[in-house]
Amino acid sequence: MPLNEKYEAVIGLEVHAQLSTKSKIFCGCSTEFGNEANSNVCPVCLGMPGVLPVLNKQVVEYTIRMGLATHCTIAPKSIFARKNYFYPDLPKGYQISQYEEPICRHGYVDIELNDGSTKRIGVTRIHMEEDAGKSIHDMDTDTLVDVNRCGVPLMEIVSEPDMRSAHEAYQYLYSIWQTVKYLGICDGNMEEGSLRCDANISVRLKGEMTFGTKTEVKNMNSFRNVERAIEYEINRQIQMLEDGERIIQQTLLWDAANNVVLPMRSKEEAHDYRYFPDPDLVPVIVEEKWIEEAKRLLPELPAQRRSRFIDQFNLPKYDAGVLTQERELAEYFENTVNGLVKKSSDNYKTISNWIMTDVLRVVNESKMAFADFSVTPSHLAAMVNLIIEGTISGKIAKEVFDEMLKTKEHPKVIVERKGLTQISDTSAIEKEIDAILSKFPNEISRYRSGEVKLMGFFVGETMKVMKGKANPKVVNEILQKKLSV
Ligand code: ADP
Ligand code: ZN
Ligand code: MG
């Protein structure tokens, strides 16, 4: 039996999302990324004696939003605790976090599996905490410390050990990423560390009831790395068990350059954090009214939007998934649809195709925001309208689209300036076709004796002569008629 059928992986993720507030969680310092080292600091986030932290209300608001989006219960009262450990990037000597009484509990995320079914992954808890600073090991012979990040607000989302493969973990993380972006509470940038994921992994023989010993893999800064690191660690553990060895509980780092996990230095191994309630912070009280208001303000979430796209626009599941990947993209699609002269499933699908291929190609290549994209939804709609009305063919539209990218002009202006109007005049097209057919008597008899794929050849020749401007529908009709005789 292949090993991956004999064993089963068990995975739980701890995801840290940096909340996109302007100021830090317990002081007024800026959270801006990339400023001069140690400039975004004050006595509070440096942990000077005698200072008092004051909770940033926006951090609570954002965490409530995430809790609601993941179907958690929001605690009416939650507590901040000190997590004590010694490290140079933590000037206070402790990190303020939530421990026994987090703000959100008992939620879930539904993920989509390859066979189209959904699976429910439990969310154990979501809590608020502050980030630590950053140690820099490669700029000097000594280790340097930048504490700008101290006190930047984080939300930690802890899952139940419900995932059974690297792919499921990927889908779960993707759903978290999509949700924080839809909620506008985190920019989701994994390379810059705004979204970080630690994976807890164990394996067991299939059918076994208890979990095996887990390891924790850190330091994966992209979706691809998360999937690869988990895959690697599952296989490593299976191999160890097969060799009769025991798994040791430890923290590992993913080394993306070499595609391996390495044991981490012992900083995290000493696991006694001596948590205790922070005496400087009052309990976080969330009244029902606040929760109701947050619920009311919750935007439509990715999964809802996707199923609405399927129902309302009759789009294939695949299209709906791509178009709702990001909120701005979904909005771009809906705004384009609004500009259609004729609302129909076919036309929605035409717009979907244009966005999934041409628009996304340019946007992804240039990594630009939709707001900066030179083809506005109303211009794209106007271009599709020209196709619907028969003014231009789909092929000519590609030329119009490229020109719109360059000049930002209205498609009508481009069509007129470049003389791209489609020719639908039957007699004009017929004249060209007659001329072409007289040049290819052999092809005609081959076509008539059953080589029907030559139709493409005749259409191509006609389009070539007419510089792509002939209405393809009319061309096809005339050719069918003339060739069938
Ligand atoms: P720790 O005490 O090491 O922090 P927790 O029980 O708090 O462990 O769980 C941390 C994360 O590890 C959670 O996401 C949880 O789902 C996951 N987890 C717990 N036990 C296992 C296991 N045996 N295998 C895989 N993941 C696990
Ligand atoms: Zn500060
Ligand atoms: Mg834990």
Side-chain angles (χ1 to χ4, degrees):
M1 184 182 346
L3 292 183
N4 52 356
E5 277 176 33
K6 188 167 149 196
Y7 290 92
E8 170 177 75
V10 172
I11 304 155
L13 297 189
E14 293 165 291
V15 178
H16 286 89
Q18 183 181 320
L19 297 171
S20 44
T21 57
K22 291 239 179 318
S23 56
K24 293 187 179 180
I25 181 167
F26 299 118
C27 63
C29 290
S30 164
T31 54
E32 207 177 322
F33 182 78
N35 286 354
E36 192 196 339
N38 303 309
S39 64
N40 296 354
V41 289
C42 74
V44 173
C45 52
L46 285 175
M48 299 291 189
V51 298
L52 285 177
V54 177
L55 178 59
N56 180 344
K57 193 174 175 189
Q58 189 99 59
V59 172
V60 186
E61 171 77 30
Y62 282 4
T63 312
I64 291 176
R65 271 189 217 170
M66 188 61 183
L68 292 173
T70 53
H71 315 276
C72 285
T73 307
I74 314 294
K77 177 183 161 201
S78 68
I79 303 281
F80 278 104
R82 292 187 183 176
K83 177 179 180 178
N84 299 279
Y85 65 91
F86 180 77
Y87 205 69
D89 63 19
L90 191 74
K92 286 210 295 285
Y94 61 86
Q95 177 193 21
I96 305 178
S97 181
Q98 294 195 300
Y99 188 54
E100 280 174 340
E101 297 183 58
I103 185 165
C104 310
R105 272 191 223 249
H106 308 311
Y108 64 83
V109 167
D110 285 331
I111 60 166
E112 182 135 341
L113 302 183
N114 279 333
D115 62 6
S117 64
T118 55
K119 175 170 173 177
R120 186 156 289 184
I121 307 298
V123 170
T124 316
R125 56 186 277 151
I126 304 176
H127 65 253
M128 305 174 275
E129 63 185 27
E130 59 179 345
D131 209 345
K134 213 165 93 186
S135 302
I136 302 156
H137 303 287
D138 56 1
M139 270 174 65
D140 196 24
T141 46
D142 287 330
T143 291
L144 304 179
V145 175
D146 176 5
V147 292
N148 279 353
R149 218 174 55 185
C150 279
V152 164
L154 298 178
M155 164 177 82
E156 178 172 345
I157 306 148
V158 182
S159 86
E160 289 291 305
D162 286 346
M163 288 153 273
R164 294 291 173 268
S165 67
H167 180 70
E168 289 185 14
Y170 179 100
Q171 291 294 89
Y172 169 82
L173 184 62
Y174 180 79
S175 175
I176 296 284
W177 171 83
Q178 233 189 356
T179 305
V180 295
K181 293 197 53 158
Y182 263 67
L183 294 173
I185 61 176
C186 168
D187 68 24
N189 191 327
M190 289 187 75
E191 275 99 59
E192 283 180 10
S194 314
L195 194 77
R196 289 168 247 163
C197 165
D198 302 336
N200 297 271
I201 303 160
S202 64
V203 299
R204 62 179 172 188
L205 286 171
K206 270 194 186 156
E208 217 160 278
M209 296 307 286
T210 52
F211 290 149
T213 305
K214 72 174 161 76
T215 60
E216 183 172 358
V217 183
K218 292 175 179 285
N219 196 38
M220 303 158 291
N221 63 353
S222 70
F223 281 102
R224 232 178 93 68
N225 278 334
V226 169
E227 201 171 19
R228 276 162 56 199
I230 295 176
E231 201 83 65
Y232 177 91
E233 179 57 10
I234 292 171
N235 290 328
R236 189 187 70 87
Q237 290 188 15
I238 292 178
Q239 200 51 58
M240 282 187 74
L241 294 181
E242 282 291 301
D243 293 345
E245 292 182 57
R246 265 180 348 116
I247 311 292
I248 346 172
Q249 178 153 358
Q250 61 180 338
T251 304
L252 305 163
L253 291 183
W254 173 244
D255 175 353
N258 299 302
N259 281 322
V260 291
V261 298
L262 301 171
M264 186 161 144
R265 285 163 305 125
S266 57
K267 161 188 169 184
E268 296 281 327
E269 300 297 339
H271 248 336
D272 184 8
Y273 291 123
R274 294 169 293 129
Y275 281 99
F276 63 87
D278 192 310
D280 288 343
L281 284 156
V282 293
V284 183
I285 304 297
V286 180
E287 286 173 4
E288 194 53 35
K289 218 173 55 200
W290 190 357
I291 301 174
E292 286 312 316
E293 183 65 3
K295 253 185 212 158
R296 211 175 51 78
L297 294 176
L298 221 52
E300 185 179 35
L301 292 168
Q304 297 166 317
R305 195 160 205 167
R306 196 181 51 172
S307 41
R308 179 167 64 79
F309 273 23
I310 295 171
D311 296 343
Q312 184 179 346
F313 304 116
N314 215 3
L315 289 175
K317 210 169 167 182
Y318 176 80
D319 294 45
V322 173
L323 295 173
T324 55
Q325 248 166 20
E326 297 199 47
R327 196 166 153 182
E328 292 75 21
L329 175 59
E331 246 123 63
Y332 186 91
F333 172 78
E334 292 208 63
N335 290 335
T336 308
V337 161
N338 283 338
L340 275 178
V341 280
K342 189 166 153 275
K343 308 260 193 291
S344 75
S345 300
D346 284 353
N347 295 340
Y348 301 147
K349 178 64 179 139
T350 303
I351 289 179
S352 169
N353 290 346
W354 277 93
I355 293 180
M356 290 199 305
T357 53
D358 303 75
V359 173
L360 279 182
R361 175 176 47 81
V362 181
V363 171
N364 290 341
E365 267 169 22
S366 61
K367 300 205 159 140
M368 65 170 87
F370 271 95
D372 305 327
F373 186 52
S374 47
V375 179
T376 62
S378 77
H379 280 186
L380 184 64
M383 188 198 80
V384 174
N385 287 339
L386 291 175
I387 305 175
I388 297 171
E389 289 159 349
T391 310
I392 57 173
S393 66
K395 196 152 168 250
I396 290 291
K398 297 271 176 203
E399 197 179 330
V400 175
F401 184 82
D402 285 344
E403 196 65 17
M404 285 160 75
L405 279 176
K406 276 187 252 161
T407 66
K408 301 188 180 181
E409 285 170 298
H410 193 280
K412 272 191 181 154
V413 175
I414 295 170
V415 167
E416 244 159 64
R417 181 163 55 78
K418 304 190 93 184
L420 296 174
T421 304
Q422 173 167 269
I423 301 166
S424 298
D425 174 0
T426 320
S427 60
I429 296 175
E430 199 165 354
K431 212 175 96 206
E432 300 290 356
I433 286 181
D434 284 339
I436 288 162
L437 292 182
S438 68
K439 279 196 282 180
F440 298 106
N442 278 340
E443 282 75 6
I444 295 177
S445 35
R446 274 164 60 200
Y447 176 87
R448 288 190 176 141
S449 57
E451 225 178 301
V452 288
K453 69 170 197 298
L454 277 169
M455 180 53 95
F457 166 77
F458 292 116
V459 172
E461 285 299 311
T462 313
M463 284 302 189
K464 207 155 73 191
V465 170
M466 301 194 69
K467 299 194 171 63
K469 283 191 270 176
N471 181 333
K473 202 164 147 247
V474 179
V475 171
N476 264 296
E477 279 165 12
I478 296 175
L479 278 170
Q480 295 278 6
K481 203 171 69 198
K482 295 205 179 261
L483 288 169
S484 67
V485 185

